[in-house]
Amino acid sequence: MRLLKAAIALALVGILVAAASAAAHHTQGLTAPVGGIGWLDPDMKKAHDLKQAADSSAVAQAVGFTPCVDGQAGVYPCQNVDLMSFLPLAEIGGGEIGNDIWGWEDPETGRDYAIMGRTNGTAFVDITDPANPVYVGNLPSESTSSAFIFWRDIKVYEDHAFIVSEHRGHGMQVFDLTRLREVESTPATFDADTVYRGITSAHNLFINEDSGFAYVVGSNRCRGGLHIVDVSEPQDPRFEACYSEDGYTHDVQCVDYQGPDDRFTGREICFASNEDTVTIVDVTDKSDPEMLARRGYATAAYTHQGWLTPDQATFLFNDELDELTETVPEQTTYILDVSSLTDPPAPMLSGNGTTAIDHNLYITKGLVYEANYTAGLRIFDAASIPTGDLEELAWFDVFPASDEPVFEGSWSSYPFYDENIVAVSGIDSGLFVLRPELGG
């Protein structure tokens, strides 16, 4: 159903943009119920907003180090986060909009890279000196389309980047990241080392680095559920199995379980965001995965993505449409106790006062990092998770125009570098390299 709705949405984008042509970019009326498009299906709204972002992406300019002083880093509202640098889309390979982001630290040289998706490919940017990023090169999209296809997702395993897209015929690109060491003249244009053809398109993927299995989701296979690929030999990916009992999966995190439910210690467990539920699946036996729980919640609009706490006792997740459809009054993060994998209770809800839509979140270094579209990067104290009320410590707003519930601003962040830096992908802007200043 989601894929059908998205196809309809994309077909209507041209009509929608034409109807809104009299409105300037970032016009808040685009989300207003009167005179706007509030009557439309949310998928149509998303396609419309991202097309608006694409139409404006060329106007951004590169920015150097800009500290956060008195709540501003240049034009960007902030709190306890400095802007180290910014590169616009036009300077990292172009494309209509930016999308997902991941990172890699070269184990031999220690250099840090941001790996940012765009509608037309993937950019590799050396951010070892975060104030002076270097665009190293581009991996073009394996396939393209005349339609406005804006999804791309990236994960890294064994010094290889694995990249999927919803472009038909794209497959899963595999790129040996150690090739970045060899670039003498930047920017270079790369080819994939191999392309996995067990799928033609996909929305997302996750790789369990402990097991060596990739979980491709939202693909044209397995009813959009878990398409499981053995990537233990990165340049020889092999189809392993499907899990589709609960239908379409939008995002997933799979772990070798060491959490509090000792019935499953050592098992491989997936926590899937399945549109209206968090679905927990034991995938240890790839030939016979077992659903352990399917947890819905009263305010569900579109269960989007989530991440486990380090002790694997709690799963924080976001709902991409609850703010837009007003099942909640403000930007809301869900806190799910998964200390029982078979009977998790209803999640706690933590609002943070903005009207923005939440997108991707990650937990590391005692902090929760959320890329919340028009509200930008938000950083919370992970120690506050058990209270059910996340304490916000810092933020950086990549979209100063508004905090309205539209699909612009920050798509995602990568906070897992050893250094105190965070890479953020801006949908209608480009690559932000940020440094939180939290003291201690």
Side-chain angles (χ1 to χ4, degrees), residues 278 280 295 313-317 334-338 344-348:
V278 173
I280 303 174
R295 164 48 73 181
T314 309
F315 185 71
L316 270 64
F317 68 95
Y334 294 82
I335 302 172
L336 181 63
D337 177 358
V338 290
M348 297 185 288

Side-chain angles (χ1 to χ4, degrees), residues 30-330:
L30 289 174
T31 61
V34 177
I37 59 172
W39 54 272
L40 290 169
D41 180 278
D43 278 345
M44 298 181 187
K45 171 96 174 79
K46 185 170 188 177
H48 175 264
D49 289 347
L50 292 176
K51 187 63 173 71
Q52 288 286 102
D55 290 342
S56 72
S57 62
V59 302
Q61 301 295 320
V63 179
F65 172 67
T66 310
C68 180
V69 178
D70 296 328
Q72 291 286 139
V75 301
Y76 301 104
C78 58
Q79 177 176 296
N80 297 330
V81 181
D82 291 336
L83 172 62
M84 301 307 296
S85 58
F86 166 75
L87 289 178
L89 285 172
E91 295 189 18
I92 56 171
E96 294 169 292
I97 65 169
N99 43 54
D100 190 46
I101 194 163
W102 208 246
W104 178 62
E105 181 177 353
D106 187 329
E108 181 176 303
T109 67
R111 304 195 72 82
D112 290 322
Y113 295 86
I115 308 170
M116 181 170 162
R118 314 176 322 272
T119 48
N120 63 343
T122 303
F124 303 92
V125 182
D126 186 334
I127 60 170
T128 308
D129 179 353
N132 295 284
V134 177
Y135 173 42
V136 178
N138 175 53
L139 177 64
S141 184
E142 197 65 26
S143 62
T144 58
S145 169
S146 59
F148 180 50
I149 307 296
F150 44 82
W151 289 284
R152 188 174 306 278
D153 200 82
I154 307 148
K155 295 297 183 294
V156 169
Y157 173 69
E158 292 292 333
D159 302 325
H160 286 73
F162 295 77
I163 304 164
V164 298
S165 170
E166 290 199 1
H167 282 288
R168 292 180 181 177
H170 186 278
M172 180 173 68
Q173 295 174 308
V174 183
F175 176 75
D176 181 354
L177 292 164
T178 64
R179 292 167 60 188
L180 300 178
R181 302 171 189 158
E182 303 166 2
V183 175
E184 296 181 356
S185 178
T186 61
T189 299
F190 303 108
D191 293 321
D193 290 274
T194 192
V195 179
Y196 172 73
R197 296 295 184 183
I199 56 167
T200 65
S201 62
H203 181 76
N204 210 327
L205 82 159
F206 180 83
I207 300 176
N208 181 357
E209 297 183 27
D210 292 322
S211 69
F213 285 99
Y215 296 84
V216 180
V217 298
S219 79
N220 63 306
R221 296 281 305 275
C222 307
R223 294 178 57 212
L226 304 181
H227 180 92
I228 307 172
V229 184
D230 182 348
V231 294
S232 55
E233 295 292 336
Q235 295 191 35
D236 186 26
R238 297 175 180 269
F239 172 72
E240 185 73 19
C242 274
Y243 176 76
S244 57
E245 183 178 343
D246 195 34
Y248 180 89
T249 296
H250 190 80
D251 208 320
V252 70
Q253 183 184 15
C254 302
V255 298
D256 284 6
Y257 185 73
Q258 300 295 328
D261 193 337
D262 56 14
R263 296 173 296 170
F264 299 96
T265 299
R267 309 285 291 179
E268 188 169 10
I269 307 295
C270 290
F271 298 79
S273 297
N274 277 24
E275 299 191 295
D276 58 358
T277 65
V278 173
T279 300
I280 303 174
V281 184
D282 185 339
V283 294
T284 309
D285 182 351
K286 303 297 184 291
S287 66
D288 188 24
E290 178 185 2
M291 184 191 300
L292 303 180
R294 186 176 186 273
R295 164 48 73 181
Y297 50 104
T299 56
Y302 199 89
T303 315
H304 176 262
Q305 179 265 353
W307 205 256
L308 287 164
T309 52
D311 63 3
Q312 300 181 350
T314 309
F315 185 71
L316 270 64
F317 68 95
N318 43 68
D319 186 305
E320 193 175 18
L321 296 181
D322 54 355
E323 293 88 7
L324 181 61
T325 57
E326 298 183 348
T327 62
V328 295
E330 59 183 332

